[in-house]
Amino acid sequence: MKLQDELPVDHRLATVYRFGAGLGGVFLMVFGILGLFDHVGFLDTQGKQTLGLSSNGALSVLSIVFGAILIIGAVIGGNFASTLNMIVGLIFILAGFVGLMVLDSSANRLAFELPNVIFSFAFGFAVVTFGMYGRVSSHLPHDNPYWRERQEHAAPMPSGPKTFVKVIRPGPPNPIGH
């Protein structure tokens, strides 16, 4: 069973997924294009400032590629945009960790500086949040399309006497010494 099989196809949350993907994609495209206009070396470890972030040719090209991917997700929309937002967001969070590891070293091929790392984490979490919005929670409201879709395929509850389940303090009913 694929994740897409249990998700509703058309619902009002698709606008949130499209908005998140489109907004993030446009920002990355603008950042990448402005970075390429600065004529920085492709793998220059120093980079130049673009929109408050350090950039070189490789980071600019990657930004344009991921921006285009997010914009394509926004155009397609729906569950695809939601899943794509989550994947791209996780990639940015991982890039933040990698950028943090290679700061001030010769392995810093994307010219990351601390503002780039902070942006990578913030952007990644924002895009992941757009992708998960209304989709991932243990307490979805009953009018949520994901809750309704999951309830249609849920196994019927067994009939018979109700049983008491201790939830607040699991463990033995009468602990020794109390």
Side-chain angles (χ1 to χ4, degrees), residues 31-50:
F31 174 75
I33 291 169
L34 291 176
L36 286 178
F37 282 140
D38 283 341
H39 301 291
V40 182
F42 192 74
L43 293 175
D44 184 20
T45 58
Q46 297 302 318
K48 288 187 179 178
Q49 292 293 319
T50 304

Side-chain angles (χ1 to χ4, degrees), residues 8 26 38 43 48 51 57 67 69 81 86 105 118 139-140 144 152:
V26 166
D38 283 341
L43 293 175
K48 288 187 179 178
L51 296 177
I69 289 171
M86 287 191 282
S105 73
I118 294 170
H139 302 291
L140 294 174
N144 185 292
E152 290 175 6

Side-chain angles (χ1 to χ4, degrees), residues 91-101 112 116-118 120-121:
I91 290 172
F92 268 84
I93 293 168
L94 289 174
F97 281 117
V98 171
L100 194 58
M101 288 186 333
F112 262 50
N116 294 67
V117 172
I118 294 170
S120 187
F121 284 136

Side-chain angles (χ1 to χ4, degrees), residues 107-160:
N108 189 2
R109 297 292 179 198
L110 296 178
F112 262 50
E113 292 178 355
L114 193 57
N116 294 67
V117 172
I118 294 170
F119 170 78
S120 187
F121 284 136
F123 186 79
F125 282 118
V127 173
V128 163
T129 301
F130 272 116
M132 291 183 174
Y133 182 76
R135 180 174 171 175
V136 180
S137 174
S138 62
H139 302 291
L140 294 174
H142 297 291
D143 64 341
N144 185 292
Y146 292 108
W147 184 88
R148 280 186 269 137
E149 180 70 21
R150 291 174 187 155
Q151 297 311 312
E152 290 175 6
H153 301 297
M157 296 296 289
S159 61

